[in-house]
Amino acid sequence: MLASPVNPADINTIQGIYPVKPPLPAVGGFEGVGKVIEMGKRTSNIKIGDLVIPAINSLGTWRSQVVCPAEHVSVIPEGTPLLFAATLRVNTCTSYRMLADFQDLEAGDTVIQNAANSGAGQMAIQIAAARGLKTINVVRDRPNIDELKDHLYSLGANIVVTDSELRMSSPEKLLPGLPRPKLGLNAVGGKSAISLMKYLQHGGTMVTYGGMSKQPVTVPTGMLIFNNIKVVGYWMTRWHDRNPNSVEAERMFDELCQWAKEGRLQIPRHRLVNILDYKTAIEGAVADFTTEKQILVFDQ
């Protein structure tokens, strides 16, 4: 392995509260990038020197060496930036699929999301921009809000507001010249999720992929009946389980990696941490208001 990020799902798995429970003893890490240094004589679809990422959810990437069947990894396109490859499988793919699978979005359409400063949120901004979509991005109130807003605007965000600003505004005030969103991406739940739904257009969809507030998603009855709002959940792990090394997975990886090579996708702000100092990386990953991705690297 060359690099592997620390994601919330990794920590939740170690805590025993994530649905994926690998048999013990187990190695942490759902995603990362490695280089092939040796291969079996019967392996034909991979060559030495290829950069690969996991094709299964329980490979365990927080280690310097992995021995596995060839079908347990996917080769990524040549020239893909190393750290982009390391962070491709979880947040980047989650954002890609949510923008692709739940509404027929065309250039000029609008998407609204909370947790916009998260890894998935920052990728959603950039993928949307690459597709010509507009984004309304909601973040928690915080001391350094102007700095955070500037950063999200630099990624391609069209509107960035805090939770309190969203609640005190209205679609008419917040969306001058923009259509109401067809799609909402919810990683928070609670009151924040209700706020997103209020901005959706008739027949819009809210996709829940996280619950940072640990509050339930409560849907006002009128939004279901009169606004025809659809509320669905999404789990990227399930998609990967059903599509390992599939044609659609390859197409997704190719498009995302091409955007990265063109400079249209950047990974979130990050810090490289040697695996020997993993405690520091975990502490950084769970810190409040963090926008910095912790990425483990390994001595070769």
Side-chain angles (χ1 to χ4, degrees):
M1 296 301 298
L2 300 175
S4 177
V6 179
N7 291 309
D10 299 318
I11 296 170
N12 291 159
T13 300
I14 294 169
Q15 293 169 329
I17 59 176
Y18 199 65
V20 175
K21 293 179 171 59
L24 299 177
V27 177
F30 281 112
E31 67 176 344
V33 63
K35 178 181 287 188
V36 177
I37 59 174
E38 190 174 349
M39 50 188 279
K41 295 180 180 179
R42 299 181 182 179
T43 303
S44 58
N45 59 334
I46 296 177
K47 63 182 184 296
I48 292 175
D50 279 345
L51 291 183
V52 295
I53 63 174
I56 61 172
N57 290 313
S58 56
L59 185 65
T61 56
W62 291 359
R63 50 178 161 171
S64 60
Q65 305 283 330
V66 178
V67 179
C68 67
E71 60 268 22
H72 286 185
V73 296
S74 301
V75 178
I76 61 168
E78 187 175 351
T80 301
L82 181 70
L83 294 182
F84 180 83
T87 57
L88 173 60
R89 197 171 187 272
V90 177
N91 292 324
T92 305
C93 288
T94 296
S95 298
Y96 182 96
R97 295 254 58 97
M98 291 192 298
L99 291 170
D101 294 347
F102 295 97
Q103 280 282 357
D104 185 15
L105 298 174
E106 299 178 351
D109 285 339
T110 306
V111 177
I112 188 169
Q113 66 167 340
N114 55 27
N117 61 299
S118 67
Q122 292 184 54
M123 277 300 168
I125 291 170
Q126 297 176 82
I127 294 169
R131 292 183 51 187
L133 306 174
K134 310 299 182 182
T135 56
I136 305 163
N137 303 278
V138 187
V139 297
R140 286 187 293 171
D141 296 86
R142 66 191 66 212
N144 63 335
I145 188 61
D146 290 335
E147 178 185 347
L148 176 58
K149 285 185 176 184
D150 288 343
H151 174 62
L152 297 183
Y153 282 126
S154 74
L155 297 179
N158 298 95
I159 297 173
V160 184
V161 294
T162 64
D163 284 312
S164 59
E165 290 170 340
L166 186 72
R167 288 194 296 268
M168 291 186 294
S169 189
S170 66
E172 293 73 24
K173 294 178 181 178
L174 189 65
L175 308 176
L178 291 179
R180 291 183 70 148
K182 284 185 176 180
L183 181 68
L185 307 180
N186 168 47
V188 179
K191 294 180 180 179
S192 181
I194 295 176
S195 295
L196 294 191
M197 285 185 276
K198 289 180 178 178
Y199 279 78
L200 293 176
Q201 65 176 247
H202 185 276
T205 301
M206 187 180 76
V207 182
T208 293
Y209 68 101
M212 295 179 183
S213 71
K214 299 182 180 175
Q215 298 297 315
V217 174
T218 304
V219 185
T221 304
M223 291 187 182
L224 292 175
I225 297 175
F226 305 116
N227 294 356
N228 195 30
I229 298 299
K230 295 176 283 293
V231 180
V232 300
Y234 186 70
W235 189 28
M236 191 68 220
T237 298
R238 182 184 296 112
W239 194 95
H240 281 310
D241 276 341
R242 294 174 177 175
N243 297 274
N245 287 319
S246 66
V247 172
E248 177 57 24
E250 183 177 358
R251 189 191 70 80
M252 174 177 64
F253 293 150
D254 286 347
E255 185 165 33
L256 289 168
C257 292
Q258 182 60 37
W259 283 337
K261 287 189 283 186
E262 293 171 356
R264 302 167 78 181
L265 298 184
Q266 306 170 31
I267 70 168
R269 292 172 175 172
H270 58 277
R271 183 170 68 108
L272 302 182
V273 182
N274 190 283
I275 184 64
L276 298 178
D277 197 22
Y278 68 92
K279 291 183 180 179
T280 300
I282 293 175
E283 290 170 357
V286 301
D288 202 16
F289 295 123
T290 184
T291 58
E292 188 177 62
K293 174 72 71 177
Q294 308 294 309
I295 301 177
L296 299 171
V297 292
F298 309 87
D299 292 330
Q300 299 300 310

